[in-house]
Amino acid sequence: MADTESPARTGAASLVGRWDSGQREWPVRVRGSRAARMGRTPDASDARNRRFTRWISAVLIVGGVAFDVITPRDYTAAPFLSAAPLIAAPFNTLRTTVATAVASSGAALVLAVVHGMRGQTGAMVEFTTVLTVALLALVTNRVVRRGTQQLESARGIAEAVQRAVLPAPPAALGGLRIAARYEAAQADARIGGDLYAVQDSPYGVRLIVGDVRGKGLGAVEAVAVVVGAFREAAEQEPALEGLAARLERALDREGATRAGIDRFEGFTTAVLGEIPPAEGTVRLISRGHPAPLLLHADGTVYEAEPATPALPLGMGELGVWPDRVEAVDFPEGATLLLFTDGVTEARDRRGRFYDPVGWLSGRAHRGPDVLLDALVADVARHTGGAGVDDMALLAIQRTSAARWRPGHSPRRRPRA
């Protein structure tokens, strides 16, 4: 989680309103629309790179032979023929590299025979040079392939850790459609300090999106603590305020095990939510986290800023005050979007922050999955693919009145 300045909001505000929640008022803002999205496909790009290197290697071999034929004897094709297998080695399979090495060495041998017939004794030296470089290219290919296999193994382990710590939420739950995305700033990391979780409970569908301070294994450990504590407390705590208090205590215990500055400066920004049964509302507690967005079917976007700011989780020693649950209208067809500051603090080359409200306003999406795919692609377009922070996103669309699954009793907690 970045601790720099807040994003400079862009886009014209067309309406400022407040929802009457029955408990407190929740201030909202409506923004105008902005530009379109643009995505990338890494696998297709890698395939193009491999095809490009194969063509370059072929051009070097053919061009080298032609160069040797049309130029005087003092000029040699050895640099061209040596470069071909070296270019192919890091990017292609062993079979392709062997074929390139054989082709370049064979061409060098043919040229050596031709020049030897003319009495040029240095031709065999050139052939030996090309052959030696070709063999080195084969060794390079094996080293690169082995490193790639180790990297793939590490990626597999990272994916397994991510599935264990941040399992994918159910696609449908109690009249809700749900989708989640995790985009690591470093492509090989796969997991970091951002988190999300959705839990069905006797009190409604409960959710959390958060961002742990710091990076690396320490942040992953804190994520595991927060998600584990959330899943347990979501089933047991009848009030959302009690759930937040349980997470606070869990982070205090986790922080006591850390060393150095992390022991005193560890915290987690988070939004806790609860979608009660048979009600068109969502109850929220914000702990220093970017405001959730409510997207209506007509393209209207409401930014749910908390009426009373609160400190992040894990900073209770700086002050103690009761959490305030605030309710927002959540009608059928609407989508609740929550995300971490990797979205709002994404910058383009000019240093301008990304504005999700402006881009989402006036747009309609066919479902939570389509929405998150489009949003992630537009953030990548905005940053030019150079994101510096992880992103966790959670989208929940209400498709009908929430229904209870067998085994859950719809116990209701009293309103504050």
Side-chain angles (χ1 to χ4, degrees), residues 1-9 211 290 339-348 351-356 379 382-383 387-389 391:
M1 181 185 64
D3 53 2
T4 58
E5 57 182 321
S6 299
R9 302 290 189 181
D211 189 352
F339 45 80
T340 57
D341 60 5
V343 175
T344 54
E345 295 188 358
R347 304 191 193 204
D348 63 10
R352 295 176 298 186
F353 288 101
Y354 183 74
D355 180 17
V379 173
H382 180 79
T383 62
V388 297
D389 200 2
M391 297 188 301

Side-chain angles (χ1 to χ4, degrees), residues 188-221:
D188 297 333
R190 301 299 174 99
I191 190 170
D194 291 7
L195 62 98
Y196 57 78
V198 178
Q199 182 78 18
D200 198 4
S201 78
Y203 314 101
V205 176
R206 287 177 165 176
L207 57 99
I208 183 174
V209 171
D211 189 352
V212 174
R213 177 193 173 275
K215 298 184 182 297
L217 292 178
V220 175
E221 291 174 359

Side-chain angles (χ1 to χ4, degrees), residues 21-281:
S21 66
Q23 293 174 305
R24 298 178 54 85
E25 289 184 330
W26 188 274
V28 297
R29 288 194 289 272
V30 184
R31 302 289 182 88
S33 60
R34 280 184 58 180
R37 66 183 176 89
M38 179 183 71
R40 295 189 176 186
T41 310
D43 292 339
S45 178
D46 293 341
R48 286 195 298 268
N49 290 338
R50 289 192 294 269
R51 289 194 297 269
F52 177 74
T53 56
R54 286 196 292 266
W55 277 106
I56 288 294
S57 299
V59 169
L60 285 172
I61 294 173
V62 175
V65 173
F67 176 83
D68 190 272
V69 171
I70 65 178
T71 57
R73 293 184 178 181
D74 293 338
Y75 295 89
T76 175
F80 298 95
L81 302 178
S82 300
L86 285 179
I87 292 176
F91 304 102
N92 293 278
T93 62
L94 178 61
R95 179 179 298 180
T96 301
T97 305
V98 169
T100 305
V102 170
S104 62
S105 301
L109 179 60
V110 171
L111 293 175
V113 172
V114 172
H115 289 309
M117 293 174 61
R118 300 175 184 172
Q120 186 175 351
T121 57
M124 289 305 299
V125 175
E126 296 175 3
F127 165 71
T128 304
T129 301
V130 174
L131 180 61
T132 302
V133 174
L135 294 176
L136 290 175
L138 297 179
V139 174
T140 301
N141 178 268
R142 295 306 301 158
V143 172
V144 172
R145 292 300 100 191
R146 183 175 299 176
T148 301
Q149 292 172 357
Q150 293 175 346
L151 179 59
E152 290 298 328
S153 176
R155 285 177 174 173
I157 295 173
E159 289 175 352
V161 172
Q162 184 182 34
R163 286 193 297 270
V165 177
L166 297 178
L173 185 63
L176 305 172
R177 296 175 62 191
I178 304 171
R181 295 289 185 277
Y182 191 98
E183 297 291 328
Q186 297 179 351
D188 297 333
R190 301 299 174 99
I191 190 170
D194 291 7
L195 62 98
Y196 57 78
V198 178
Q199 182 78 18
D200 198 4
S201 78
Y203 314 101
V205 176
R206 287 177 165 176
L207 57 99
I208 183 174
V209 171
D211 189 352
V212 174
R213 177 193 173 275
K215 298 184 182 297
L217 292 178
V220 175
E221 291 174 359
V223 167
V225 169
V226 172
V227 173
F230 168 80
R231 294 196 179 281
E232 180 182 5
E235 291 281 347
Q236 299 174 356
E237 291 292 338
L240 202 58
E241 299 94 331
L243 174 55
R246 288 276 291 271
L247 296 181
E248 185 84 39
R249 293 194 295 270
L251 280 173
D252 288 343
R253 291 192 300 269
E254 192 271 340
T257 64
R258 294 193 178 192
I261 194 172
D262 287 339
R263 182 168 185 172
F264 306 99
E265 294 191 1
F267 60 86
T268 299
T269 67
V271 170
L272 299 172
E274 176 184 277
I275 304 174
E279 292 185 17
T281 61

Side-chain angles (χ1 to χ4, degrees), residues 300-313:
T300 305
V301 178
Y302 291 93
E303 186 175 13
E305 293 281 2
T308 304
L311 289 176
L313 297 168

